[in-house]
Amino acid sequence: MAHADWYRLDNVGKFYASQAGRSGQTVFRFSATLSQAVDPAVLQQALDQTVAQYPGFNVKLRSGLFWHYLEPADTLPQVEPETLPICANLHSDVDSVLFRVSYYGSRINMEVSHIISDGRGTLQFFQTLLNAYGNGGSPSATPHTAEPISPERRTEDSYSANFERSEAGSTPSEKVYHLRGWKNNAEPSYLEYQLSASAVHQAAKERGVSVTSLIIAAVIQSIRQTMRPEDHGRAIRMDVPVDLRELFGSETLRNFFGLAYVSFTPKDNPCDLTSLAQNVQAQLIQATQPEHIKRRMNAMIKLEKNPALRLAPLFIKDAVLFLADRLSTREVTTTVSSLGRITTDPTLEGLVENINVLTSTRGLNFIACTYGDVLSIGISTVYVRYDIIRNFCRIFTDLGIPGTLSINKTAQEVDAGLKQAEFEGAVAKALAETGTQRQARKQQGPQKQCGRVGHWALPEGRLS
């Protein structure tokens, strides 16, 4: 991004800025596992060179009378040993920089606030950082394109540049199934599930679908297996982020994505994996047609462009946008994202073993990416029980594709959480059987929020 005195927030950035100062901020985490221990000095040199090319990432959030905006940080960011929990908040005070780079052993981590960029824009920054590291942190590590991208194109608010109010349209609503279970919102679980990319590709090819469609189908089937019979009439509905840069010819590094929706109602559809994957593929093809993507994108921007809201002071804007974001999460069951195949400079061949992506969550999220022959699926969840995740992994095992699963919690922490969930389930069942749930709530008064009981200390935020 270009050097500037300040930067405007894009449409999506304004939504995520309304989370500032609250818990549950949206943060991306990109990690690369190397074949050797990280050299902090070389990583610092690589970061210096990358920030010089993309200074718009090294920013702080500021508040004006009507809108938030971004201001360049006073100093260059410093790489640090990993000590914080995964996807820890990036905006805690006025001096907070909205990204961080850390290392642990042979792993390089970069975490970025959704306020400044989306997954695709952050990936470009991360690729540049890795390329620079692979070249010893030298300036020559920065990849050069035949036609350099201008600073204005990199910092463009592509939402506003392509907004057409007359093209805005709503998405039909339906009764959506919401995941159930005991939550630990304070200490989510983060998992890395790694599979052979070629094996998964072959399984998808045999069914006539894409890898993304197969993964989405596996998620839907995994959720379906945990649903109560009385919920089968509700739709398992998920949003799938779609990069808009190619569609609109944009080269911005800021947020610029739309949402495609995939919906499946168990009672009305066959649940075998092949039929389900083909159903998902057909829905994705339809949902990603330019006219549908543009209609939903314009609808998303329309609220922020509302004349009355534009004239409102910042605290009212924040409240309205925060509420809109919360309401939108009620329209989906979960989110599945795919960044596709990630490439790096040839000089990194043999140095980078795999790349994984995670995101903070208020529910359950999946992000897939491929590097070499490793398909890595980052799973984030606030749910204490891992039934859906277990079902998801079992689907690929049944396809003859073994995988490895890593989690950021110890066995003792997982066991403690499961015991809490089992206790909650036993109490709920007993109350349901006696028909005294409502009376018990009235007698006991206000209850503590689920998921806030106890404190689980993460082992320095790293995956074990």
Side-chain angles (χ1 to χ4, degrees):
M1 295 184 183
H3 289 280
D5 294 330
W6 62 283
Y7 302 98
R8 294 180 184 273
L9 287 170
D10 56 73
N11 171 267
V12 168
K14 290 173 182 175
F15 274 87
Y16 286 111
S18 67
Q19 300 175 350
R22 305 174 189 260
S23 61
Q25 298 171 30
T26 304
V27 176
F28 290 110
R29 175 185 172 98
F30 284 69
S31 299
T33 301
L34 311 182
S35 58
Q36 56 189 247
V38 174
D39 185 328
V42 174
L43 181 58
Q44 183 64 58
Q45 293 175 31
L47 180 58
D48 292 345
Q49 294 300 327
T50 305
V51 169
Q53 184 173 351
Y54 305 119
F57 276 79
N58 189 33
V59 293
K60 304 174 182 179
L61 184 66
R62 292 288 186 261
S63 301
L65 179 60
F66 293 102
W67 289 112
H68 294 289
Y69 63 95
L70 302 174
E71 182 178 273
D74 300 326
T75 59
L76 290 173
Q78 300 297 304
V79 302
E80 297 179 350
E82 185 180 25
T83 58
L84 294 172
I86 292 172
C87 293
N89 286 352
L90 280 159
H91 180 80
S92 57
D93 56 53
V94 294
D95 290 322
S96 298
V97 176
L98 298 182
F99 88 109
R100 68 171 71 93
V101 174
S102 65
Y103 62 92
Y104 177 80
S106 60
R107 174 167 290 207
I108 295 174
N109 310 301
M110 186 183 73
E111 295 175 325
V112 174
S113 170
H114 212 330
I115 292 172
I116 59 175
S117 189
D118 56 18
R120 185 62 59 179
T122 300
L123 174 59
Q124 187 168 336
F125 185 101
F126 190 59
Q127 286 173 302
T128 303
L129 175 66
L130 291 182
N131 291 340
Y133 181 84
N135 282 273
S138 66
S140 61
T142 301
H144 296 284
T145 58
E147 297 181 7
I149 302 171
S150 69
E152 291 75 21
R153 292 285 287 168
R154 279 191 179 142
T155 58
E156 177 188 72
D157 178 358
S158 292
Y159 287 113
S160 293
N162 295 283
F163 176 59
E164 297 180 63
R165 183 178 296 275
S166 61
E167 297 296 322
S170 59
T171 301
S173 59
E174 54 190 335
K175 290 184 177 180
V176 175
Y177 174 71
H178 298 117
L179 302 180
R180 300 174 181 275
W182 185 274
K183 294 181 181 181
N184 185 344
N185 292 301
E187 306 286 355
S189 297
Y190 294 97
L191 304 96
E192 290 181 355
Y193 184 41
Q194 296 183 339
L195 301 155
S196 165
S198 57
V200 176
H201 180 269
Q202 181 60 33
K205 184 178 179 181
E206 291 171 358
R207 290 160 177 78
V209 300
S210 68
V211 169
T212 299
S213 294
L214 182 62
I215 292 173
I216 293 173
V219 172
I220 292 174
Q221 192 174 74
S222 302
I223 294 172
R224 159 67 179 77
Q225 293 168 355
T226 66
M227 292 174 67
R228 303 177 306 180
E230 57 265 37
D231 290 327
H232 288 179
R234 290 184 173 270
I236 301 171
R237 188 169 188 254
M238 55 187 63
D239 53 358
V240 183
V242 178
D243 182 28
L244 298 179
R245 291 168 178 81
E246 184 175 351
L247 177 61
F248 290 97
S250 171
E251 295 169 303
T252 187
L253 293 186
R254 300 167 73 182
N255 290 296
F256 195 42
F257 67 95
L259 294 174
Y261 292 94
V262 173
S263 181
F264 174 84
T265 305
K267 75 170 186 178
D268 298 330
N269 296 281
C271 293
D272 65 282
L273 186 63
T274 298
S275 298
L276 186 49
Q278 292 170 350
N279 183 321
V280 169
Q281 177 96 340
Q283 290 190 58
L284 279 180
I285 291 173
Q286 179 71 14
T288 54
Q289 292 298 310
E291 61 270 22
H292 295 298
I293 287 289
K294 290 178 181 178
R295 186 183 75 246
R296 287 191 293 269
M297 182 198 76
N298 286 304
M300 183 173 64
I301 303 172
K302 191 174 180 180
L303 173 63
E304 182 249 315
K305 298 291 185 182
N306 183 289
L309 185 62
R310 290 174 67 87
L311 293 173
L314 182 60
F315 74 93
I316 293 179
K317 284 189 175 77
D318 277 350
V320 171
L321 295 179
F322 181 77
L323 177 61
D325 177 59
R326 290 288 174 168
L327 291 175
S328 69
T329 64
R330 298 292 298 169
E331 297 177 358
V332 296
T333 306
T334 187
T335 298
V336 178
S337 306
S338 177
L339 289 172
R341 181 167 292 278
I342 296 175
T343 59
T344 53
D345 192 277
T347 58
L348 271 70
E349 186 174 350
L351 177 62
V352 177
E353 295 183 343
N354 62 71
I355 293 175
N356 186 72
V357 185
L358 292 163
T359 182
S360 56
T361 184
R362 296 193 296 266
L364 174 66
N365 292 78
F366 298 78
I367 301 185
C369 66
T370 297
Y371 183 82
D373 191 41
V374 179
L375 169 62
S376 185
I377 303 174
I379 307 172
S380 312
T381 180
V382 296
Y383 294 96
V384 173
R385 297 188 65 89
Y386 303 114
D387 297 17
I388 294 173
I389 298 170
R390 183 182 62 247
N391 295 341
F392 180 73
C393 296
R394 185 177 293 155
I395 288 171
F396 290 96
T397 301
D398 291 344
L399 291 175
I401 308 173
T404 60
L405 185 67
S406 303
I407 187 171
N408 67 317
K409 292 181 177 178
T410 66
Q412 291 78 10
E413 290 169 335
V414 171
D415 185 58
L418 291 175
K419 287 179 178 177
Q420 285 272 49
E422 289 172 2
F423 175 75
E424 177 213 23
V427 172
K429 183 178 180 180
L431 289 173
E433 289 175 348
T434 59
T436 60
Q437 284 177 299
R438 183 170 299 176
Q439 291 87 338
R441 282 198 297 269
K442 288 181 178 179
Q443 293 171 6
Q444 294 172 6
Q447 301 296 300
K448 292 183 179 179
Q449 182 180 356
C450 285
R452 297 292 182 181
V453 180
H455 177 78
W456 294 350
L458 294 175
E460 298 186 353
R462 56 182 180 269
L463 292 165
S464 57

